[in-house]
């Protein structure tokens, strides 16, 4: 799940739809973390298990479902970026 979310976040942040949102490393990692916390966990210990879970998750329906959670995270982090607290 982590690999899927990380690649989708990277891809979505390149979209013109999100051009107004911060794309710094802190915000990107916050988006990934928030997304992963709101998606089911899939732990595996072998490459075969990893491939099985990836195939299971890599459907149009599941990608749409995962994208919705990532987009929610982008808006949440974009509206309340933590990096502003560090300055």
């Amino acid at each position: 799940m982590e690999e899927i979310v990380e690649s989708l976040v990277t891809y979505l942040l390149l979209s013109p739809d999100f051009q107004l949102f911060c794309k710094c490393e802190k915000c990107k990692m916050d988006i990934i973390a928030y997304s992963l916390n709101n998606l089911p966990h899939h732990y595996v210990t072998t490459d075969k298990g990893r491939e099985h879970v990836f195939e299971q998750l890599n459907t149009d329906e599941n990608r749409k479902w995962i994208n919705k959670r990532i987009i929610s995270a982008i808006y949440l982090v974009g509206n309340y970026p933590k990096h502003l607290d560090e300055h």
Side-chain angles (χ1 to χ4, degrees):
M1 183 66 81
E2 187 174 345
E3 292 173 32
I4 292 170
V5 168
E6 187 172 347
S7 63
L8 287 172
V9 166
T10 301
Y11 177 77
L12 286 170
L13 287 176
L14 294 173
S15 167
D17 296 334
F18 301 109
Q19 67 184 358
L20 298 178
F21 291 93
C22 180
K23 294 166 180 57
C24 76
E25 193 62 23
K26 172 72 173 139
C27 286
K28 182 179 174 181
M29 295 308 293
D30 285 347
I31 292 165
I32 291 169
Y34 187 81
S35 299
L36 288 170
N37 283 329
N38 288 292
L39 289 165
H41 307 289
H42 295 279
Y43 300 107
V44 296
T45 58
T46 65
D47 287 339
K48 187 173 181 164
R50 182 181 166 277
E51 289 173 20
H52 176 70
V53 169
F54 183 80
E55 288 172 13
Q56 201 175 18
L57 294 173
N58 196 28
T59 64
D60 286 339
E61 185 178 329
N62 281 334
R63 278 193 307 272
K64 287 178 188 175
W65 183 73
I66 293 168
N67 275 343
K68 286 180 185 179
R69 273 123 192 103
I70 292 171
I71 290 168
S72 293
I74 291 171
Y75 278 99
L76 179 74
V77 172
N79 288 324
Y80 304 99
K82 298 278 188 195
H83 68 272
L84 294 179
D85 298 338
E86 296 173 2
H87 296 288

